[in-house]
Amino acid sequence: MYGKIKEHLQNELKSIEEAGLFKRERVIVSPQDATIVLADGKEVLNFCANNYLGLSSHPLLIKAAEDALKTHGFGMSSVRFICGTADMHKELEQKIATFFGTEDTLLYAACFDANGGIFEPLFSEADAIISDSLNHASIIDGVRLCKAQRFRYANADMADLEVQLQNARDCRFKVIVTDGVFSMDGNVAPVDKICQLADQYDALVMVDECHSAGVVGKTGRGVTELYNIRGKVDIITGTLGKAFGGAIGGFTTGRREIIEMLRQRSRPYLFSNSLPPMITQAGIAMFDMMAETSALQDKLHENTDYFRTEIMKAGFTIKPSASAIVAIMLYDARLSQEFAAQLLEEGIYVIGFYYPVVPKGEARIRVQLSAAHSREHLDRALSAFVKVGKALKVIR
Ligand SMILES: *Cc1c(COP(=O)(O)O)cnc(C)c1O
């Protein structure tokens, strides 16, 4: 009988709407790229995708996916340990390990699954998980599925992390968990300092590189390249759904025994279908390209530096960061929505974020740069920002 819950859900949905928190999805009818076409036929410049390297519609990846359809078919119809492991899964896992300088890798259907399946096989009541307060929802859910004791430290706050490490002193194993880049401010976690504290307090380090892998560090090898600490992070999780092609797929890469234990015990790995050949082969082609050239990283870093410099010159306030995310602060929720709406009129697609996605009074426009953006794209966006900024009296 659907009756009773139907009314309840209608009321809940209404209150979400009244609170201004109802999520509406904008439909895109073109491939994901620097310019996209919306359902009404309007072409806009896209500054809100995780398409950091511009690979979402890259010919090399499309070709690899097409080839795999011919050689390995459409789907695997199995989990990995029954009959769902293809030669190319093994190859991609090796390529990911080589890219990050780690010992072994395990593929998942998504990084949400990688994070959901990492803690429970490794840690129990006797252990401690020490987690940054702004970590991604999938880390929070993964921690919930595990019986280890939980400790939380304020975002990127090393003094607070040290307090929590002291609180967790008597636990058997300790692991410090952080996003590599936090998606709302774009700030990079101080993983160099985290590793120092981890050494001092005998803790493991896990970094979720979803927004940092492919982006951060001179050749995009992520936070361990940025801080020159390759091989020091015990566990790295990441996605194939952002910089690395944008389709789907996740991975955990790191110490040999940890990965082997996940292969034996990680539930989203054991009880969920394996990655389709198209995705896997495109991933291999992508990492082969990364091994050859860091031209896309050079372009992305150049674009990010340029946009950051010019938007500050125009008088906007931004959050400091070394990632491809630029948070342009407006502080007022309504203003952030009006600003984004007017930018769309100008052909610039960005999203305004406000409480509870970001703290109260910290509403902002988030801009995500891509290697796919040309200088002309950036200049168009910058002049639209100036025009709307003046109209709405954010800048003079
Ligand atoms: C996007 C993201 C995820 C989820 O990745 P999927 O592969 O899309 O499931 C996990 N962690 C962080 C930090 C992310 O930004």
Side-chain angles (χ1 to χ4, degrees), residues 110-113 115 136 138 179 181 208 210-211 239-242 249-250:
C111 189
F112 209 105
D113 289 327
N115 287 336
H136 190 263
S138 54
D179 283 12
V181 163
D208 175 341
C210 279
H211 282 285
T239 183
L240 302 177
K242 291 185 175 123

Side-chain angles (χ1 to χ4, degrees), residues 32-53:
Q32 186 68 271
D33 213 334
T35 55
I36 50 173
V37 181
L38 305 180
D40 62 4
K42 192 176 161 75
E43 189 176 303
V44 294
L45 276 179
N46 186 8
F47 284 90
C48 55
N50 302 313
N51 185 18
Y52 296 121
L53 298 177

Side-chain angles (χ1 to χ4, degrees), residues 212-226:
S212 48
V215 172
V216 164
K218 187 159 175 15
T219 68
R221 262 63 175 173
V223 293
T224 60
E225 182 183 21
L226 182 72

Side-chain angles (χ1 to χ4, degrees), residues 51 53-68 240 242-247 277-290 296:
N51 185 18
L53 298 177
L55 296 175
S56 306
S57 308
H58 195 285
L60 196 77
L61 275 65
I62 293 171
K63 170 73 165 53
E66 283 172 355
D67 289 349
L240 302 177
K242 291 185 175 123
F244 293 149
M278 297 175 281
I279 301 292
T280 314
Q281 194 65 51
I284 290 169
M286 203 279 313
F287 282 104
D288 283 346
M289 179 166 61
M290 298 284 118
L296 292 174

